[in-house]
């Protein structure tokens, strides 16, 4: 096999999704750089592949990438695989790719499974423009700030989320973007308990909160494109109410309070206060 770094996508759940080309490459390379050698070992065992593995993950020292580059420069071929799906997508493998590029070595990417794309394809949300945002910040305030920055994005937004944070994340999305914003939750894709549901954020949040099964497994969360409401007209009576409340508390708190009452995005209400509050 030609000396190169082969970027090999592997199944995100259903092992039947591995491609014939992926099997050929994994069988023919000198070694496999795997994010999780135990999980990759299960795939290799099922296909009867005995290629040696070594660990390459987020905590690998920079010297590991340099050693792999030296091996390819010396005539070996190496496959890069992630925990599951396409390497380098929300994955430290991109660092290895950069090392190979800087060394002038050949890189061969193989197409294959990617949870973000699988989730988008089954979500029913617009797919002509989309942005992959990976994981949101763990902490609530940082997460809200990031969501506020994304509130008016004119593309479908794709996130990965951990099961123990999914309810809090949905609640923050509803608070920032309004309960009517359409979203989709895609869980355990390609696996036995695969679930895909599209609904307004308000309904989706209630559904996940009431059914603990929806807070299990690997989750892709998608948000429909936002409408730029920063210049939208606010009902005069609601505007007066908002301004009155803001006299007694910080603007962000007032906006959040009125958002819960009106169903409007807190970001829109906060922007209104910035424009209309005296001083």
């Amino acid at each position: 096999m030609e000396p190169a770094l082969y970027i090999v996508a592997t199944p995100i759940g259903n092992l039947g999704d591995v491609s014939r080309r992926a099997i050929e490459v994994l069988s023919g390379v000198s070694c496999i750089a795997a994010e999780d050698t135990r999980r990759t070992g299960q795939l290799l065992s099922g296909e009867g592949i005995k290629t040696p593995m070594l660990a390459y993950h987020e905590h690998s020292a920079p010297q590991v990438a340099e050693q792999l580059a030296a091996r390819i420069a010396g005539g070996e071929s190496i496959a890069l695989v992630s925990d599951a799906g396409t390497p380098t997508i929300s994955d430290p493998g991109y660092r290895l790719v950069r090392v190979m590029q800087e060394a002038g070595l050949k890189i061969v990417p193989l197409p294959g499974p990617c949870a973000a794309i699988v989730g988008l394809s089954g979500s029913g949300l617009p797919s002509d423009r989309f942005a992959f945002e990976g994981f949101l910040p763990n902490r609530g305030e940082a997460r809200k700030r990031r969501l506020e920055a994304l509130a008016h994005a004119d593309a479908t937004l794709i996130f990965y989320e951990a099961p123990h944070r999914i309810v809090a994340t949905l609640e923050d999305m509803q608070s920032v973007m309004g309960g009517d914003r359409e979203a989709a939750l895609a869980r355990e894709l390609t696996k036995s308990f695969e679930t895909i549901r599209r609904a307004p954020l308000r309904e989706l949040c209630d559904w996940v909160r009431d059914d603990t099964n929806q807070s299990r497994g690997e989750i892709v969360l998608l948000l429909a494109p936002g409408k730029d409401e920063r210049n939208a007209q606010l009902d005069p009576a609601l505007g007066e109410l908002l301004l009155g409340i803001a006299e007694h508390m910080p603007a962000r708190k007032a906006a959040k309070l009125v958002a819960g009452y009106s169903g409007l995005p807190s970001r829109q209400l906060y922007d209104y206060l910035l424009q209309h509050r005296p001083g």
Side-chain angles (χ1 to χ4, degrees):
M1 181 167 287
E2 183 179 8
L5 176 69
Y6 294 83
I7 304 171
V8 182
T10 55
I12 59 176
N14 190 322
L15 295 181
D17 292 334
V18 66
S19 71
R20 286 189 295 177
R21 187 180 175 202
I23 293 173
E24 290 173 359
V25 170
L26 294 175
S27 300
V29 293
S30 306
C31 79
I32 299 169
E35 183 180 16
D36 185 336
T37 55
R38 290 172 298 180
R39 184 159 181 172
T40 300
Q42 294 174 354
L43 174 65
L44 299 184
S45 177
E47 297 295 336
I49 298 172
K50 301 186 182 299
T51 305
M53 290 185 290
L54 58 83
Y56 184 81
H57 47 70
E58 184 177 2
H59 304 293
S60 294
Q63 292 85 346
V64 176
E66 295 170 3
Q67 291 166 3
L68 292 174
R71 291 179 64 171
I72 293 175
E76 295 188 50
S77 54
I78 295 174
L80 172 67
V81 300
S82 67
D83 181 24
T86 301
T88 79
I89 305 301
S90 192
D91 172 271
Y94 81 92
R95 298 172 188 154
L96 181 59
V97 172
R98 291 173 68 92
V99 170
M100 299 299 167
Q101 290 173 333
E102 291 165 1
L105 300 171
K106 186 171 183 177
I107 298 165
V108 182
L110 277 64
C114 174
I117 299 303
V118 174
L120 177 65
S121 69
S123 69
L125 297 177
S127 57
D128 53 334
R129 286 177 59 83
F130 59 90
F132 176 65
E133 288 292 327
F135 286 91
L136 287 163
N138 294 341
R139 295 184 178 276
E141 288 305 315
R143 184 166 56 237
K144 286 182 181 179
R145 286 195 297 270
R146 183 59 187 153
L147 288 171
E148 287 173 353
L150 296 169
H152 304 295
D154 62 351
T156 293
L157 301 175
I158 307 173
F159 305 89
Y160 289 161
E161 191 51 280
H164 66 279
R165 287 197 302 266
I166 186 62
V167 172
T169 294
L170 285 168
E171 289 174 344
D172 287 345
M173 286 180 171
Q174 182 178 341
S175 172
V176 171
M177 301 177 179
D180 294 331
R181 181 78 164 262
E182 196 171 42
L185 184 143
R187 186 180 68 86
E188 291 292 84
L189 291 168
T190 78
K191 301 176 186 176
S192 299
F193 296 101
E194 177 180 272
T195 304
I196 303 175
R197 179 165 177 172
R198 176 176 56 84
L201 273 170
R202 183 182 297 105
E203 294 180 20
L204 202 62
C205 189
D206 289 343
W207 175 62
V208 175
R209 191 186 293 115
D210 294 341
D211 183 355
T212 56
N213 286 324
Q214 306 312 321
S215 297
R216 297 176 180 174
E218 296 177 344
I219 297 170
V220 180
L221 189 57
L222 305 98
L223 278 175
K227 298 177 181 178
D228 195 340
E229 295 155 324
R230 286 170 287 192
N231 298 317
Q233 293 294 321
L234 204 65
D235 178 81
L238 185 63
E240 290 182 13
L241 173 64
L242 177 61
L243 288 168
I245 292 175
E247 292 179 0
H248 306 284
M249 63 181 67
R252 286 188 183 277
K253 188 174 181 180
K256 182 178 179 181
L257 181 65
V258 176
Y261 162 76
S262 66
L264 294 174
S266 61
R267 182 69 192 189
Q268 179 189 357
L269 299 170
Y270 179 68
D271 288 343
Y272 181 90
L273 282 175
L274 293 182
Q275 296 172 16
H276 294 86
R277 191 169 65 170

